[in-house]
C-alpha cells in the first residue's frame, strides 16, 4: 500500500481518516496550523532476501492549490512503519476552494483540504 497522510494520530491501514478524498476533505482556513501524520514512508521489503525496510528521509511537505505549490516543512520518517508527525502552518494567501497537502514522495495518498 502507498504511503498516506492524515490528521489522525495512530491511524491504521484500512482506516484512514478524513481528507483521503476530495469528498471528505478537511475544512481549513488560510494561515491555520494543522498537525499531520504520515504512515508507510519507507522502502518496501518484498522477500526475506532483501534488506530491512528503511524510512525515507528529507521528505518535503507541500500544499498544492491549482498550479501553485508551496513548501511548508521537511521531515524524516522513523521506525516503526515509516511514520512521522509534523505541525504545518498553511499559507495565509491560500484561496477559497480545494487544495492538497502532499510530500515529495512521488507515490502516496495525499491529504485533501478545503480552504474556507
Amino acid at each position: 500500500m502507498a504511503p498516506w497522510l492524515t490528521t489522525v494520530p495512530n491511524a491504521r491501514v484500512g482506516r484512514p481518516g478524513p481528507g483521503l478524498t476530495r469528498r471528505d476533505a478537511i475544512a481549513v482556513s488560510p494561515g491555520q496550523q494543522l498537525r499531520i501524520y504520515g504512515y508507510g514512508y519507507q522502502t518496501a521489503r518484498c522477500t526475506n532476501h532483501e534488506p530491512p525496510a528503511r524510512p525515507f528521509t528529507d521528505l518535503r511537505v507541500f500544499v498544492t492549490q491549482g498550479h501553485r505549490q508551496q513548501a511548508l516543512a521537511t521531515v524524516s520518517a522513523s521506525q516503526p512503519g515509516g511514520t512521522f508527525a509534523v505541525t504545518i502552518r498553511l499559507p495565509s494567501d491560500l484561496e477559497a476552494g480545494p487544495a492538497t497537502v502532499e510530500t515529495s514522495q512521488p507515490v502516496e495518498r495525499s491529504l485533501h483540504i478545503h480552504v474556507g
Side-chain angles (χ1 to χ4, degrees):
M1 175 173 221
W4 80 97
L5 295 173
T6 183
T7 56
V8 178
N10 303 314
R12 295 185 183 153
V13 174
R15 295 175 132 190
L20 183 60
T21 67
R22 291 247 183 247
R23 184 173 28 97
D24 64 357
I26 298 165
V28 297
S29 299
Q32 176 180 333
Q33 279 192 335
L34 188 63
R35 182 82 168 161
I36 60 170
Y37 301 87
Y39 297 96
Y41 287 85
Q42 64 185 2
T43 58
R45 184 170 184 215
C46 299
T47 70
N48 289 335
H49 304 292
E50 293 182 22
R54 292 180 320 278
F56 296 139
T57 59
D58 299 320
L59 293 163
R60 294 179 60 200
V61 179
F62 301 95
V63 63
T64 302
Q65 190 174 48
H67 296 290
R68 185 173 160 207
Q69 187 176 65
Q70 294 181 29
L72 303 176
T74 301
V75 298
S76 291
S78 60
Q79 295 290 16
T83 61
F84 67 83
V86 63
T87 300
I88 58 172
R89 180 172 300 279
L90 297 171
S92 59
D93 60 350
L94 284 177
E95 296 179 13
T100 306
V101 177
E102 54 201 354
T103 73
S104 52
Q105 175 62 25
V107 177
E108 71 181 348
R109 296 170 85 180
S110 303
L111 179 67
H112 294 277
I113 59 177
H114 186 83
V115 182

